Amino acid sequence: MPGTADWQAIVKASWDSIKAKVAAELPKAVTGKPLSDHTYKEELGVCVLLNGPNTGAAVWNDDGPGTVALTSLHVRDFTSVSAQDAKFGNLQVELPLSFALLAANGRYAYIQPCAQYSLGKKGAPAKLNGAGNISARSERGSLTYQLKVVDPDKTLRLELTGAKVDGQRSINLEADGQPNNALLRILLGSFSAGSQRLIISSALDSFFSHGEFGRDMVNELNRIIGATLAQRAQG
């Protein structure tokens, strides 16, 4: 069985033997596949839209967190994928793949409770809601599969623990029923874009962490590692 000095070499050789195939097959395996729906709560900052030009002492603000739902998310594009060398830590392995573009599309909807405040007192309640299409892009980035090494001195196998998508991110929201007022159109179309960028990233990370392709890839690595150990034992 491998000692602590050479389990990395076995894993590296196993990854090197399949990384070109992984890079070639991954885009077609995930393009068009659905991501999980996500719902989260946050004060969205849209209630100020209810304030007119002459609000006086009474102003509208968010009344607690709103609810945002992202649905019908799916991978639209995944292009120019190339596998890089494995990286090692303390019983940790990272398998990075670079890409030109990873894009996802879906739908968003939000409901935000509002209240009118005057001199610190809460008055009339209201709600704002909206929905539309969302598209997110990560360009010139990397997808890194994160694995744990189990029993490096004995059977030596790998377990997938996570995945991380990095890159130059951008997001576009297109509200349904665009209002006529240009300022309202901009505000409603870009509410909480920073947080939605994070939740889309989380959805992509989860997608690759739990997707069938990642599990199959690790199973293949373990098969190659097992064959290598069996050959060593016979020698």
Side-chain angles (χ1 to χ4, degrees), residues 117-228:
Y117 296 85
S118 178
L119 300 176
K121 294 183 178 181
K122 185 167 70 172
K127 285 186 178 180
L128 282 181
N129 59 77
N133 296 316
I134 183 170
S135 61
R137 297 165 64 92
S138 184
E139 299 178 80
R140 297 183 293 279
S142 64
L143 159 65
T144 302
Y145 283 105
Q146 300 162 335
L147 296 85
K148 175 175 68 175
V149 181
V150 180
D151 293 332
D153 298 320
K154 297 178 182 179
T155 56
L156 181 58
R157 60 188 179 87
L158 302 172
E159 290 183 359
L160 182 62
T161 60
K164 185 68 177 174
V165 176
D166 292 306
Q168 182 177 328
R169 295 189 176 107
S170 60
I171 192 167
N172 182 63
L173 305 178
E174 182 181 346
D176 293 343
Q178 294 275 13
N180 292 328
N181 182 282
L183 179 59
L184 291 181
R185 198 160 54 237
I186 292 171
L187 290 173
L188 286 173
S190 61
F191 82 95
S192 195
S195 296
Q196 293 204 44
R197 188 176 297 115
L198 292 175
I199 205 71
I200 282 284
S201 298
S202 176
L204 287 170
D205 292 347
S206 177
F207 171 72
F208 286 108
S209 298
H210 300 100
E212 181 179 357
F213 189 93
R215 295 195 300 269
D216 289 347
M217 178 187 71
V218 175
N219 288 339
E220 178 65 6
L221 285 171
N222 284 328
R223 186 195 67 77
I224 297 170
I225 289 170
T228 300

Side-chain angles (χ1 to χ4, degrees), residues 18-107:
I18 68 168
K19 66 182 185 181
K21 181 180 179 182
V22 168
E25 294 184 354
L26 182 56
K28 61 184 178 183
V30 303
T31 301
K33 295 296 189 298
L35 284 67
S36 299
D37 293 345
H38 284 259
T39 300
Y40 65 104
K41 291 186 176 294
E42 178 190 351
E43 290 193 17
L44 304 175
V46 296
C47 295
V48 294
L49 300 175
L50 297 174
N51 293 315
N54 301 307
T55 57
V59 294
W60 288 95
N61 274 311
D62 292 359
D63 184 20
T67 301
V68 178
L70 301 183
T71 59
S72 303
L73 295 169
H74 62 277
V75 177
R76 189 188 74 224
D77 291 303
F78 196 25
T79 63
S80 301
V81 178
S82 177
Q84 311 302 316
D85 291 339
K87 299 179 180 179
F88 299 94
N90 183 21
L91 298 183
Q92 303 292 324
V93 179
E94 292 187 346
L95 305 178
L97 298 99
S98 61
F99 59 82
L101 171 66
L102 174 57
N105 284 358
R107 295 279 300 169

